[in-house]
Amino acid sequence: MALARLILEDGSEFIGEGFGDLHEVGGEVIFNTSVTGYQEILTNPSYSGQIITMTYPLIGNYGINPDDFEGERPYARGLIVREFCTQPSNWRSRETLDAFMKRYGLMGLAAIDTRALTRKLRTSGSMKGLLTTSSATLSELVEKVKALPGLAEENHVQITSTKQISMLPGKGPSVALLDLGAMRRIGKQLQEIGCTVTIYPASTRAEEILAAKHRGLLISNGPGDPKRVPYVVETVRQLLGKLPIFGIGLGHEVVGLALGGDTYKLKFGHHGANYPVRDLTTGRIHITCQNHTFAIREESINKNLVEVTHRNVNDGTVEGLRHKELPVFTIEYSAEATPGLDSLPLFTGFLSLL
């Protein structure tokens, strides 16, 4: 197994064993606290541009199957694990994690202290990093890392959004899905509750969506900084009051900006399948699946028009909004991927608005 290195922009170095496609790749290094779901994580468009550190120590033990893709291909740039399994055991498995990563050109790093790396990212915040097999000096590689573009400097929505309009047939009301990097199961969830779904590229203009006479608009999750897509914010602003609107993840942040709010970058983001969120209308706690690096700045919200409906229990960040007069509501977490299907009422609530 080849020697490989992770170099962080602060000069830290982690040396371990490379797996997957051994080459050099840079991106934002984050950590994810999920125990399972590595295939869904790697193929989730929201992880575009990121190198993911899994905090759970053993990854790859149930292999890879063709049914659990959340996008057409992997969008993450790399994977860091404590130990990766070379001999998975699961009846659905069709290939190993190593073979999957080689097939899609993803680099992996194993046999490092992922606990120490996670503690560093929690203390210092997420930072740029480089996975490499290079024998160059540490100072040379640190300079290369510092020259990499940051997550907020790249338009990842442009990379992950669909390039053409498509449709998911249904027997119920027609819904427009504005794809900012949508997970597959968002469209499937709308289909399952009876909607006919038309999926639009992120660059679609408001006039085109209105001309199709849809009954509602869902703005999907996606990667990166919401301020990098001002054209989407403007589209949503023009549609406020003309259609019921439901925003998820990046869609939540975009709606927040369209309503006059502001966003900011979290220190190390929310990445995992176990984030507690309180529904302020019921007091109930939902255990949610999340992947976002930016959040709504609460003091920027016009409280006369918009109310906060959900709040992260860990750090108090805004996780949901509702307009007091218009049929507009949002959530920050992945409604379609929440453990226990706690968030299905959000989709049926959206359906009732139609």
Side-chain angles (χ1 to χ4, degrees):
M1 195 170 290
L3 193 71
R5 307 155 75 184
L6 168 68
I7 312 296
L8 297 176
E9 62 181 296
D10 70 349
S12 302
E13 179 180 28
F14 293 82
I15 301 175
E17 301 170 350
F19 68 97
D21 184 16
L22 299 180
H23 62 297
E24 189 168 280
V25 63
E28 182 186 57
V29 183
I30 62 159
F31 64 89
N32 187 295
T33 56
S34 300
V35 174
T36 61
Y38 52 83
Q39 179 177 341
E40 292 91 332
I41 290 166
L42 288 170
T43 58
N44 182 344
S46 292
Y47 286 93
S48 177
Q50 296 177 324
I51 296 172
I52 303 160
T53 305
M54 300 299 294
T55 61
Y56 189 73
L58 177 63
I59 299 297
N61 52 318
Y62 56 84
I64 299 288
N65 71 78
D67 301 320
D68 288 343
F69 279 66
E70 287 296 351
E72 294 181 357
R73 59 175 177 82
Y75 288 90
R77 289 184 178 166
L79 181 67
I80 301 170
V81 302
R82 178 71 185 90
E83 177 184 355
F84 87 98
C85 180
T86 57
Q87 295 181 309
S89 176
N90 186 280
W91 67 275
R92 299 173 72 220
S93 177
R94 294 295 179 269
E95 65 180 331
T96 66
L97 175 61
D98 185 50
F100 167 80
M101 292 183 66
K102 284 176 179 172
R103 182 157 63 94
Y104 283 103
L106 292 178
M107 182 172 175
L109 176 65
I112 71 159
D113 188 344
T114 51
R115 189 172 181 177
L117 175 56
T118 299
R119 287 172 66 90
K120 173 171 282 294
L121 296 174
R122 279 187 62 89
T123 302
S124 304
S126 55
M127 60 183 83
K128 294 184 287 187
L130 187 74
L131 289 177
T132 183
T133 56
S134 169
S135 58
T137 66
L138 178 59
S139 59
E140 289 174 334
L141 293 173
V142 169
E143 289 306 308
K144 186 178 284 191
V145 173
K146 289 180 177 178
L148 294 170
L151 191 67
E153 299 171 65
E154 299 178 282
N155 189 343
H156 290 278
V157 169
Q158 208 168 43
I159 298 169
T160 58
S161 177
T162 184
K163 302 302 182 286
Q164 57 188 16
I165 298 172
S166 60
M167 183 175 288
L168 298 174
K171 297 179 181 178
S174 173
V175 171
L177 171 56
L178 194 58
D179 178 11
L180 308 187
M183 296 168 70
R184 281 182 174 177
R185 64 181 84 179
I186 289 182
K188 291 179 181 177
Q189 191 69 72
L190 287 170
Q191 235 185 340
E192 286 177 12
I193 62 171
C195 297
T196 299
V197 185
T198 304
I199 304 171
Y200 289 95
S203 58
T204 306
R205 297 173 67 86
E207 309 89 80
E208 185 174 355
I209 293 173
L210 288 172
K213 301 190 182 303
H214 296 293
R215 299 278 294 280
L217 169 69
L218 191 150
I219 308 159
S220 82
N221 61 311
D225 185 349
K227 291 179 180 175
R228 292 288 300 175
V229 287
Y231 52 92
V232 181
V233 175
E234 183 56 32
T235 293
V236 174
R237 187 177 290 120
Q238 291 177 24
L239 293 173
L240 291 171
K242 297 176 182 176
L243 285 172
I245 295 176
F246 178 21
I248 299 175
L250 183 62
H252 154 85
E253 297 158 18
V254 163
V255 171
L257 291 174
L259 290 170
D262 190 22
T263 56
Y264 67 102
K265 193 174 189 288
L266 295 166
K267 185 176 181 180
F268 46 80
H270 299 158
H271 315 281
N274 48 11
Y275 281 86
V277 171
R278 184 186 302 278
D279 182 338
L280 301 180
T281 60
T282 65
R284 185 179 179 185
I285 303 294
H286 299 272
I287 303 302
T288 70
C289 180
Q290 301 200 11
N291 176 49
H292 63 102
T293 306
F294 296 84
I296 298 287
R297 195 181 299 279
E298 184 166 358
E299 57 269 27
S300 71
I301 299 169
N302 183 347
K303 297 292 181 64
N304 294 322
L305 292 177
V306 182
E307 64 177 329
V308 176
T309 57
H310 295 75
R311 190 178 299 283
N312 190 295
V313 175
N314 290 341
D315 60 13
T317 51
V318 174
E319 296 272 358
L321 298 172
R322 183 183 297 275
H323 199 283
K324 293 181 179 180
E325 298 174 2
L326 304 175
V328 176
F329 72 102
T330 69
I331 52 166
E332 180 71 271
Y333 55 89
S334 299
E336 76 294 342
T338 295
L341 298 177
D342 287 334
S343 298
L344 275 176
L346 291 166
F347 282 93
T348 55
F350 177 56
L351 182 63
S352 70
L353 291 178
L354 310 185

